C-alpha cells in the first residue's frame, strides 16, 4: 500500500456505488473508492492506497451522517465498529438494508450495460431489471451452503480481511447455513478449510482430507457431484436458475431436434432445465473431467442428452458448424465467455442464446460483443443469490438483431 501523501483521514460525501462492493466519493477532483459506505452518507475515511494518479482507495472509519438504509451489520466481525484491518471480508453489503442492497446492485448492472456493454440508453432502460429477492431469510443470513476459510500460522481459522490475505479469526458465520457454523473450529491445520452442506449433511475438509461425492436435489431430480465441485452456494439458487432459464427460453424458438448446447455445463443442471420433461436434444460441454462424468450420469435418464468433456473454446473450434434452430445455453465463469467464444457462438447462428452470468461487468462486456456480431438482448432477469455481498446472478436471452 502506498502512503497517503501526508493525508490520513478525509471527510467524504459518498456519491454512488461502484462494481466490487465499494462506493465512490471525490476529493479535490480525484475519485476515492471507499469501502463500508452507502451513497448519500458523509463518512470519515482513511486512505489506504494513494499510488494511483486517478484514484485513491479508502476505508470508512466513522459514519458522520448515516443513510436511512444503514443497519447494524449482520456480521459483527465485518462491522465498521472494528478497525478496518480487523474486518472480516465477504460481507461487504452487510451494513445495508436488503432492499437497498438490491437497488445498488441494479445500479451497477445498469451502469455496466451502458458503460462497458455500450448498449444504447433506450435498450438499457428496456432491459435493466430490478434485482429480485429469492427465498430465504429477509436479512440474507444463512444463505451459503459452501464456505472457504483460511488458517493463519497459529492455526486460527477465519476469512481473509477485505482486500487482504490477512486471516481474521471468527467465532460465528451468520451468512452460512447453521450446520456449517456448528462445524467452525477455533484452530485447524493446513492453509484452508472448506465447509460444505448438502443433502442434510455437513462436513469440514482440509486440503489433504478425503472429499466425498455428494448429492443435491433440485425439484424431482438428483445431481451427484464432487463435494468441492462447482455448485451454487445459495440453497435456493439451483431451483431459481432452473426456473429462470426455462422462463428465458422462448418455446417458439426451441427446436427439440436441433443441435442445442449447454456450454460450461458443470454437472448438468441447466441441460436438465432445458431437456427435462420436453425430450429435447442437448449436448452439455464441460472441461472438468469429474464434473463431466457426473453430468453424464445425472442426465442418463434423458435419452437425447449427452455430456462432452472439453474446453468450450476447443469444442466450438472443432465443431465449426451452423446450428439453425438451436438454443445455446452458457454459464461461463466469473470472467465471462470472452470474445473468442462469443464469436464462435454468434457464427453458428442459433435461434436463441441464453446467457447465465454471475458478474455484471463480464456480462455487459460479452453482450456488447454479441451486439457487435448482430445479436441483441431480448430479456434480462437478475436475482439476489449472494445477499450481503455485491454479487448478483443474471439471465439474459439474446436473439438475432432484426
Amino acid at each position: 500500500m502506498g502512503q497517503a501523501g501526508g493525508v490520513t483521514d478525509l471527510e467524504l460525501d459518498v456519491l454512488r456505488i461502484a462494481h466490487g462492493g465499494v462506493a465512490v466519493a471525490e476529493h479535490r477532483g480525484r475519485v476515492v473508492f471507499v469501502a463500508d459506505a452507502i451513497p448519500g452518507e458523509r463518512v470519515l475515511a482513511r486512505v489506504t492506497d494513494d499510488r494511483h494518479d486517478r484514484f485513491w482507495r479508502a476505508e470508512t472509519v466513522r459514519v458522520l451522517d448515516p443513510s436511512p438504509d444503514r443497519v447494524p451489520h449482520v456480521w459483527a466481525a465485518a462491522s465498521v465498529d472494528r478497525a478496518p484491518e480487523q474486518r472480516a471480508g465477504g460481507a461487504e453489503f452487510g451494513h445495508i438494508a436488503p432492499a437497498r442492497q438490491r437497488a445498488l446492485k441494479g445500479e451497477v448492472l445498469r451502469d455496466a450495460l451502458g458503460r462497458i456493454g455500450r448498449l444504447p440508453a433506450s435498450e438499457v432502460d428496456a432491459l435493466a431489471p430490478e434485482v429480485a429477492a429469492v427465498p430465504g431469510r429477509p436479512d440474507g443470513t444463512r444463505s451459503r451452503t459452501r464456505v472457504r476459510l483460511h488458517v493463519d500460522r497459529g492455526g486460527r481459522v477465519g476469512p481473509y480481511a477485505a482486500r487482504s490475505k490477512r486471516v481474521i479469526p471468527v467465532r460465528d458465520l451468520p451468512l452460512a447455513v447453521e450446520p456449517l457454523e456448528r462445524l467452525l473450529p477455533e484452530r485447524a491445520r493446513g492453509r484452508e478449510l472448506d465447509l460444505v452442506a448438502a443433502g442434510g449433511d455437513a462436513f469440514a475438509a482440509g486440503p489433504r482430507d478425503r472429499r466425498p461425492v455428494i448429492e443435491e436435489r433440485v425439484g424431482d431430480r438428483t445431481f451427484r457431484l464432487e463435494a468441492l465441485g462447482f455448485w451454487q452456494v445459495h440453497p435456493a439458487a439451483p431451483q431459481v436458475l432452473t426456473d429462470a432459464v426455462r422462463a428465458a427460453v422462448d418455446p417458439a424458438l426451441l427446436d427439440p431436434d436441433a443441435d442445442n448446447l449447454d456450454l460450461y455445463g458443470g454437472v448438468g443442471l441447466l441441460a436438465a432445465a432445458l431437456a427435462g420433461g420436453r425430450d429435447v436434444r442437448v449436448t452439455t460441454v464441460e472441461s472438468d473431467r469429474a464434473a463431466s462424468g457426473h453430468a453424464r450420469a445425472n442426465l442418463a435418464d434423458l435419452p437425447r442428452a449427452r455430456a462432452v468433456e472439453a474446453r468450450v473454446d476447443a469444442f466450438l473450434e472443432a465443431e465449426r458448424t451452423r446450428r439453425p434452430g438451436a438454443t445455446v445455453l452458457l454459464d461461463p465463469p466469473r470472467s465471462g465467455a470472452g470474445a473468442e467464444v462469443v464469436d464462435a457462438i454468434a457464427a453458428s447462428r442459433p435461434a436463441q442464446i441464453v446467457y447465465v452470468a454471475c458478474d455484471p461487468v463480464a456480462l455487459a462486456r460479452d453482450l456488447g460483443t454479441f451486439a457487435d456480431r448482430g445479436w441483441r438482448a431480448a430479456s434480462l432477469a437478475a436475482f439476489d443469490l449472494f445477499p450481503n455481498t455485491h454479487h448478483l446472478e443474471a439471465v439474459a436471452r439474446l436473439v438475432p438483431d432484426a
Side-chain angles (χ1 to χ4, degrees):
M1 293 295 183
Q3 299 300 312
V7 178
T8 302
D9 293 345
L10 302 172
E11 289 191 11
L12 298 171
D13 292 313
V14 184
L15 304 174
R16 59 189 181 277
I17 200 68
H19 180 52
V22 295
V24 178
E26 292 182 0
H27 176 70
R28 297 178 181 175
R30 177 182 278 107
V31 168
V32 182
F33 294 110
V34 56
D36 299 315
I38 305 173
E41 292 187 325
R42 186 169 179 81
V43 301
L44 183 68
R46 182 158 300 150
V47 176
T48 56
D49 184 356
D50 68 350
R51 294 173 298 175
H52 308 279
D53 293 334
R54 297 177 57 192
F55 68 89
W56 288 349
R57 296 190 182 277
E59 305 275 357
T60 298
V61 293
R62 189 163 73 251
V63 181
L64 305 175
D65 185 9
S67 165
D69 294 312
R70 180 172 284 274
V71 297
H73 205 292
V74 296
W75 193 8
S79 171
V80 74
D81 295 332
R82 282 192 166 201
E85 65 274 10
Q86 294 300 321
R87 294 174 197 163
E92 61 276 3
F93 275 7
H95 59 288
I96 307 173
R100 185 70 186 282
Q101 290 186 35
R102 294 191 292 272
L104 292 174
K105 295 179 189 190
E107 291 177 21
V108 170
L109 178 57
R110 288 179 60 91
D111 175 71
L113 291 173
R115 185 171 52 84
I116 306 299
R118 309 179 311 282
L119 301 186
S122 59
E123 191 170 338
V124 173
D125 290 341
L127 278 177
E130 293 185 1
V131 178
V134 299
R137 292 191 178 189
D139 66 357
T141 59
R142 306 304 177 198
S143 60
R144 297 183 187 178
T145 59
R146 286 155 173 74
V147 175
R148 170 161 289 179
L149 300 172
H150 305 278
V151 183
D152 69 11
R153 292 182 178 179
R156 298 179 303 173
V157 179
Y160 284 142
R163 295 165 293 281
S164 169
K165 297 295 186 181
R166 184 189 316 105
V167 176
I168 305 299
V170 295
R171 301 298 298 272
D172 65 343
L173 295 170
L175 271 62
V177 295
E178 290 175 337
L180 298 190
E181 187 175 70
R182 292 195 289 268
L183 290 175
L184 176 64
E186 289 189 20
R187 295 185 181 273
R189 295 180 178 180
R191 294 183 178 181
E192 294 177 343
L193 183 70
D194 288 288
L195 307 180
V196 178
D201 295 324
F203 67 91
R208 298 182 180 179
D209 293 339
R210 175 180 171 271
R211 303 349 176 34
V213 172
I214 61 174
E215 293 185 348
E216 296 280 6
R217 189 79 175 170
V218 184
D220 60 357
R221 181 171 290 276
T222 298
F223 294 86
R224 289 174 60 83
L225 65 147
E226 302 300 302
L228 298 185
F230 176 77
W231 190 254
Q232 293 287 336
V233 301
H234 194 293
Q239 189 63 60
V240 166
L241 291 177
T242 292
D243 294 343
V245 165
R246 287 175 173 167
V249 171
D250 183 346
L253 297 177
L254 176 62
D255 180 352
D257 299 318
D259 189 11
N260 301 298
L261 293 179
D262 169 34
L263 305 177
Y264 311 96
V267 298
L269 175 68
L270 299 187
L274 184 67
R278 290 187 280 191
D279 192 26
V280 172
R281 177 187 178 200
V282 61
T283 298
T284 184
V285 181
E286 169 58 50
S287 63
D288 182 84
R289 174 168 294 180
S292 184
H294 287 304
R296 192 170 297 109
N298 292 335
L299 302 173
D301 64 311
L302 300 174
R304 297 210 289 169
R306 70 182 182 116
V308 172
E309 179 194 334
R311 285 174 53 100
V312 167
D313 54 355
F315 174 85
L316 294 173
E317 172 66 22
E319 292 278 304
R320 278 184 173 265
T321 182
R322 289 188 177 273
R323 292 184 171 82
T327 293
V328 175
L329 308 180
L330 67 155
D331 183 8
R334 192 171 300 280
S335 57
E340 182 180 351
V341 168
V342 168
D343 284 346
I345 294 172
S348 70
R349 305 306 297 172
Q352 62 184 331
I353 300 164
V354 175
Y355 188 131
V356 180
C358 59
D359 183 272
V361 168
L363 170 65
R365 184 201 63 222
D366 287 345
L367 291 185
T369 306
F370 272 117
D372 292 340
R373 307 300 184 267
W375 289 77
R376 63 176 177 85
S379 68
L380 179 62
F383 305 93
D384 192 18
L385 293 178
F386 307 91
N388 297 304
T389 80
H390 71 278
H391 299 292
L392 61 88
E393 199 89 10
V395 179
R397 180 170 66 89
L398 296 92
V399 294
D401 202 359

